[in-house]
Amino acid sequence: MKKACLLIIDVQKGFDDADFWGERNNLTAEGNMLILLDAFRKAKLPVIHVQHRSENETSPLHPTKLGYQLKTGFETKENEPLFIKSVNSAFIGTDLKEELKKKEIEQVIIVGLTTNHCVSTTARMAANYGFGVSFIHDATAAFATVSYNGRKFSAQDVHESAISHLHNEFAEILSTEDVLTKWVSTSQYMQ
């Protein structure tokens, strides 16, 4: 079995600002993320955190705003690295790739916010760098959007579309339960 880590991307308070972001799907995503985080910690499997530092002063994710903070329950613990990024990919401007190589990680299990932006971009780059990628569909979420031509897409449509583009090319698409069965309960790294 490949050595895996849980990669938690941008679970920040600013994403609770419905006035800024609009309609969101999968309101149970954070609950599923916490289930996985707890399981990985109990199994003593690697956990890596990523936090978005927006350069846009009006963004809820700007470091001067309360929304920049990680959500309650997602604070890092000892031996859990935190990478700060300012673009969509967690690999750009950080040492994430080097950290994964140093820890001999072969498989990244990705959760976080948002499905079609930073989570998807990081999944694509991880695959391009040669890592196995598990994208956890019920531990990610998206917001509704309006296309270049004015067409409106619901949050669920955005979420499903983003996952569909990753499926079988950049990532295996799993549920929280799949991860618990495949990576945690059978882990050779449990102590």
Side-chain angles (χ1 to χ4, degrees), residues 92-158:
I92 301 298
T94 73
D95 293 328
L96 175 58
K97 181 181 176 186
E98 292 74 16
E99 180 73 15
L100 294 172
K101 294 287 187 186
K102 181 177 82 175
K103 291 183 180 283
E104 299 178 342
I105 301 297
E106 299 170 281
Q107 185 82 19
V108 289
I109 297 168
I110 299 180
V111 302
L113 302 170
T114 62
T115 310
N116 57 314
H117 290 117
C118 299
V119 184
S120 175
T121 304
T122 300
R124 289 168 185 260
M125 285 199 70
N128 288 163
Y129 280 136
F131 296 101
V133 178
S134 298
F135 194 97
I136 315 312
H137 69 84
D138 60 357
T140 57
F143 293 93
T145 192
V146 177
S147 180
Y148 68 93
N149 61 5
R151 182 175 173 198
K152 295 178 182 177
F153 292 90
S154 72
Q156 186 62 30
D157 287 343
V158 171

Side-chain angles (χ1 to χ4, degrees), residues 22-72:
E23 173 210 352
R24 185 189 136 171
N25 81 319
N26 199 7
L27 300 179
T28 59
E30 286 87 346
N32 288 328
M33 292 180 219
L34 287 171
I35 289 168
L36 291 173
L37 179 57
D38 183 59
F40 269 68
R41 284 173 171 166
K42 285 180 177 172
K44 297 187 170 43
L45 291 166
V47 174
I48 297 175
H49 303 262
V50 177
Q51 185 174 12
H52 190 78
R53 180 186 174 100
S54 177
E55 295 176 355
N56 178 351
E57 293 181 6
T58 65
S59 170
L61 305 179
H62 190 271
T64 61
K65 307 274 174 64
L66 178 64
Y68 176 69
Q69 296 175 8
L70 297 174
K71 291 187 180 194
T72 302

